[in-house]
Amino acid sequence: MKKNKKMTISRSRNSSFDPKKLNPFLVCVISLAIFIPSSCSDLSPPTLINFGDSNSDTGGVLAGTGLPISLPHGITFFHRGTGRLGDGRLIIDFFCEELKLTYLSPYLESLAPNFTSGVNFAVSGATTLPQFVPFALDIQVRQFIHFKNRSLELQSLGYKRENYMMDEEGFRNGAYMIDIGQNDLLVALYASNLTYKPVVQKIPSFVAEIKLAIQNLYGNGGRKFWIHNTGPIGCSPKELALHPHNKRDVDQIGCLRVHNQVAKSFNKALKNVCKQLRSQLKDATIVYVDVYTIKYNLFAHPKTYGFENPLMGCCGYGGPPNNYNVKATCGQPGYSLCANPSKSIVWDGVHFTDAANRIVASAILSSNFSTPNLTLHQFWLP
C-alpha cells in the first residue's frame, strides 16, 4: 500500500494522480455527483474547528501575543500581513475555499471575528506538552469548551448565527481538525543533540495528548475528526542550515535522516491511536491523513510540480544552499526575497509557500492519503 500511495504523486507515467493538475472544484463536483442525492437542501452547512500550530495558524499568535507578523509575510495572496507564517494561504485556507467557507477567524481575535464557518484555536509554536502552558493543545481544547458554552449561552439570550457566531448545529456537525506535533519533536531533538532514541521514547506522551484531546472533544459533542500527521521536518531549510551535517546524515534527496526518522515514528504512533479510538468511539468518524508522504514527494520531485531548489527558503538570508540565517530571518533586517515565491516549496525556512500549500491541500482533498478513504465533503453527506 505504501508503494502505491507514493506512486500517486511521483513522476511515474503509470500514476493516475497528479495533485498539481488536480482542480479542487472537480474534486467537489465528483464527490457530489457520486454521493449526494438529487436534493441537497437538507445538508448541514460545513463548519471547521481547528487545533494546532503554525501549519494552520490563521492569526492566533498575532492576536494572542501581539507578535508582529507583517509583510513580506502574506505578500503573494493577501498582500498584507494576516498573522499567517507564509507568503499566502495555508492548507486550511484551501479547505475553506473548497467548502465555500469564509477563512477561519482565530479564537483569540477580539476585533470583528466571524465564527459562522468555524473557529481556529491554532497558535504558532504550540506543542502537545507541557500541559497548562499557553498555547499547548490541552489549553486549546479548554478554550474550545469555553467558546462552545459561551456561544450557546449567548444564543439562549437571543443572539443568532447572523451575529457571526457558531450555533449548536455547527458544533454538532463540525469537523474537528488537529495538526500538531512537529514542535514537540524538534524540541526533543535539540535536547537530545539530534539523537533518535531519546526522542522516540517521548513520542508516546506526545500522541497521548492528541488522544486525550480527541476524547475530550468527543465528550463535548464532537463526532467528526480530521487528524494530520507531521511532515518531513528533516527537509526544512532551517534545520539543514542550523545543524552541520555530512553525507551520512542526510538521505538520498538531502533531508536530515534523524529528523525524518522521528517524524515517521511519531506518525506510526499517531495512526495507531486513531485506529484505537475508532474501535472505542463507535459513532465517531476519525480520519488520519498522511501529510508526510505528500510533502516528502514535493521535495523528492520538485520539477514535477514546478519548483526549484527544494531545500532553499524563498525568504531569508545567506543564499544557497538553504538561504536561512537565524540572525536575519524572513522579515528581519538583512533578509532577501526570491524573485518568484511560486517556484519555492518553503517560504521562510520552515513554512510552505502558497503554491506548495495548494498542491498539498489538493492531494489531501483527493482522499488518496486518508485512512479511512474519505474526503472532507463526505463529513456532511446524509
Side-chain angles (χ1 to χ4, degrees):
M1 287 299 296
K2 290 183 178 179
K3 182 177 180 180
N4 291 335
K5 288 172 69 175
K6 183 173 181 180
M7 288 287 288
T8 58
I9 59 174
S10 73
R11 287 181 283 188
S12 170
R13 293 182 180 179
N14 294 324
S15 172
S16 60
F17 173 69
D18 186 344
K20 184 182 178 187
K21 297 178 180 178
L22 184 62
N23 186 327
F25 177 74
L26 291 180
V27 174
C28 175
V29 171
I30 292 169
S31 298
L32 291 174
I34 295 173
F35 296 105
I36 295 184
S38 58
S39 174
C40 300
S41 58
D42 295 331
L43 296 183
S44 301
T47 51
L48 304 179
I49 302 98
N50 185 69
F51 306 85
D53 52 31
S54 58
N55 286 325
S56 58
D57 180 1
T58 55
V61 73
L62 174 62
T65 68
L67 180 69
I69 302 176
S70 54
L71 290 171
H73 296 289
I75 193 170
T76 296
F77 182 78
F78 298 101
H79 310 299
R80 60 183 179 87
T82 64
R84 292 166 174 80
L85 288 170
D87 66 315
R89 291 160 292 186
L90 310 180
I91 293 171
I92 197 165
D93 294 317
F94 288 106
F95 289 172
C96 289
E97 291 181 1
E98 174 70 12
L99 296 170
K100 304 298 186 288
L101 302 176
T102 58
Y103 298 132
L104 296 187
S105 291
Y107 162 74
L108 296 169
E109 180 58 69
S110 59
L111 299 174
N114 182 350
F115 297 125
T116 53
S117 294
V119 57
N120 195 355
F121 296 91
V123 175
S124 298
T127 55
T128 65
L129 289 172
Q131 292 181 328
F132 312 118
V133 175
F135 294 92
L137 181 58
D138 75 304
I139 294 295
Q140 294 182 25
V141 173
R142 290 169 186 266
Q143 289 173 329
F144 162 76
I145 295 171
H146 169 70
F147 175 80
K148 179 182 178 182
N149 291 339
R150 181 60 174 155
S151 296
L152 298 181
E153 178 186 14
L154 289 173
Q155 289 173 41
S156 72
L157 298 175
Y159 287 82
K160 303 296 182 183
R161 185 180 177 91
E162 290 73 23
N163 298 116
Y164 303 108
M165 298 176 61
M166 284 185 67
D167 57 19
E168 188 168 3
E169 183 181 16
F171 288 110
R172 183 174 61 252
N173 294 317
Y176 291 77
M177 299 182 158
I178 300 178
D179 185 338
I180 200 167
Q182 69 177 30
N183 293 323
D184 295 274
L185 296 177
L186 289 173
V187 170
L189 277 167
Y190 300 160
S192 70
N193 194 27
L194 307 188
T195 305
Y196 175 79
K197 187 175 180 179
V199 179
V200 171
Q201 291 173 343
K202 294 180 179 181
I203 286 176
S205 63
F206 300 154
V207 297
E209 289 301 309
I210 298 176
K211 180 179 181 179
L212 181 60
I214 295 172
Q215 290 171 325
N216 285 335
L217 293 170
Y218 178 89
N220 283 275
R223 292 298 182 270
K224 302 167 183 175
F225 297 94
W226 189 266
I227 314 299
H228 287 188
N229 70 11
T230 200
I233 53 179
C235 301
S236 163
K238 172 190 172 184
E239 294 304 308
L240 289 162
L242 288 180
H243 306 295
H245 52 274
N246 55 42
K247 290 183 178 180
R248 291 176 299 177
D249 299 321
V250 298
D251 65 12
Q252 67 275 15
I253 65 169
C255 299
L256 291 167
R257 292 183 185 276
V258 66
H259 285 63
N260 285 351
Q261 286 169 351
V262 299
K264 289 178 181 178
S265 295
F266 173 88
N267 292 340
K268 181 179 180 181
L270 181 60
K271 188 174 185 177
N272 287 336
V273 161
C274 291
K275 182 178 180 180
Q276 294 167 13
L277 288 173
R278 286 189 205 103
S279 66
Q280 297 169 10
L281 311 177
K282 299 293 188 180
D283 60 335
T285 301
I286 303 172
V287 178
Y288 168 88
V289 184
D290 184 11
V291 177
Y292 181 100
T293 295
I294 299 170
K295 289 186 173 181
Y296 188 86
N297 272 275
L298 295 190
F299 290 108
H301 309 292
K303 292 183 179 179
T304 301
Y305 306 106
F307 296 120
E308 302 170 351
N309 303 315
L311 304 179
M312 181 172 166
C314 170
C315 183
Y317 176 81
N322 308 123
N323 196 38
Y324 183 88
N325 188 305
V326 69
K327 296 181 180 179
T329 56
C330 184
Q332 299 303 310
Y335 83 92
S336 62
L337 193 63
C338 66
N340 188 355
S342 69
K343 296 292 185 181
S344 296
I345 297 174
V346 180
W347 166 244
D348 57 359
V350 179
H351 308 96
F352 275 31
T353 59
D354 183 280
N357 280 329
R358 176 190 289 276
I359 294 174
V360 174
S362 294
I364 292 171
L365 289 166
S366 76
S367 83
N368 290 349
F369 301 88
S370 300
T371 305
N373 191 234
L374 296 174
T375 67
L376 259 182
H377 287 282
Q378 288 174 261
F379 269 155
W380 294 280
L381 297 179

